[in-house]
Amino acid sequence: MTRIIAGFAGSLTLHVPRSGTRPTSDRVREAIFSALESRDAIEGASVVDLYAGSGALGLEAASRGAAEVALVERAKPAAEVCKRNADAVQRAARGHAAVRIRVIPRPVATYLEGAAGGIDLAFIDPPYELGEAALTRDLELLAPLLTDDAIVVVERSARSPEPAWPAGIEVDRRRDYGETTLWWAGRAPRQPVRPSQPE
């Protein structure tokens, strides 16, 4: 059983797709959100949950004060579950600050290619069988969409190699939780533009 841990929708039970997804454990979600709240990284944030599955990570952020959340999930059954869970969280939000939750039933790369940017917080929790080249492509597309203080959390198998970080994203730290590894990363500092030398 998967539940929202804290916030206005705390203890709300979430539906989980019957197959094809691997929900983040409560222990790992608690670790993620404890770290994010210590950085004051959720309140008012624009959040994307890529390979959303049930939407648990993005909806946890919504419950804790994110301003807008995009749940990106190409598999139709999982996207339908995301919609049911998002509707339940929206109902629980009555009387609290408005949060905009969108469910986007498209491939991650397609979504990122057309996204407007301004992303403060990105969760990337792909199937463990996703190839490293595909993950690298996702990160390359995500990089220019991040705000300067953005945080990127990538969840992978502990047996998977470190992601290939593209220009624009730099790794901060790694944390292991049994078979799960979290990679924390952020927007790489922008290089100052050097004034052109007079000829």
Side-chain angles (χ1 to χ4, degrees):
M1 182 178 295
T2 299
R3 296 178 181 270
I4 298 291
I5 298 168
F8 66 73
S11 79
L12 177 72
T13 299
L14 299 177
H15 298 279
V16 176
R18 291 184 178 181
S19 63
T21 63
R22 177 188 38 76
T24 302
S25 72
D26 286 353
R27 176 186 174 219
V28 174
R29 274 193 298 134
E30 286 181 13
I32 290 171
F33 283 93
S34 176
L36 290 172
E37 291 197 325
S38 73
R39 298 186 186 193
D40 195 25
I42 304 174
E43 188 71 33
S46 175
V47 179
V48 294
D49 185 352
L50 307 178
Y51 303 96
S54 67
L57 290 171
L59 296 175
E60 186 75 40
S63 180
R64 296 181 188 231
E68 59 179 359
V69 176
L71 306 177
V72 184
E73 175 55 64
R74 73 179 296 174
K76 185 177 179 180
E80 290 173 350
V81 168
C82 281
K83 184 67 168 63
R84 291 173 65 190
N85 288 336
D87 289 346
V89 170
Q90 293 270 10
R91 288 193 296 271
R94 291 174 183 166
H96 298 270
V99 55
R100 181 181 180 214
I101 304 173
R102 294 177 297 144
V103 177
I104 301 166
R106 299 167 67 187
V108 166
T110 303
Y111 165 73
L112 292 173
E113 285 168 349
I119 295 170
D120 300 308
L121 176 58
F123 299 110
I124 305 180
D125 182 14
Y128 282 168
E129 62 270 19
L130 183 80
E132 297 306 312
L135 177 58
T136 298
R137 176 64 173 156
D138 293 342
L139 291 167
E140 289 172 345
L141 293 169
L142 176 65
L145 306 177
L146 299 173
T147 60
D148 286 347
D149 297 323
I151 295 174
V152 178
V153 182
V154 179
E155 181 175 339
R156 295 295 272 160
S157 165
R159 295 183 294 276
S160 297
E162 178 174 353
W165 305 104
I169 297 180
E170 62 180 13
V171 67
D172 177 26
R173 58 195 169 110
R174 167 183 176 155
R175 293 289 184 270
D176 294 304
Y177 302 88
E179 289 297 305
T180 298
T181 293
L182 296 180
W183 297 95
W184 291 77
R187 186 82 166 86
R190 300 178 192 271
Q191 298 300 318
V193 177
R194 295 181 179 179
S196 58
Q197 298 297 322
E199 295 182 2

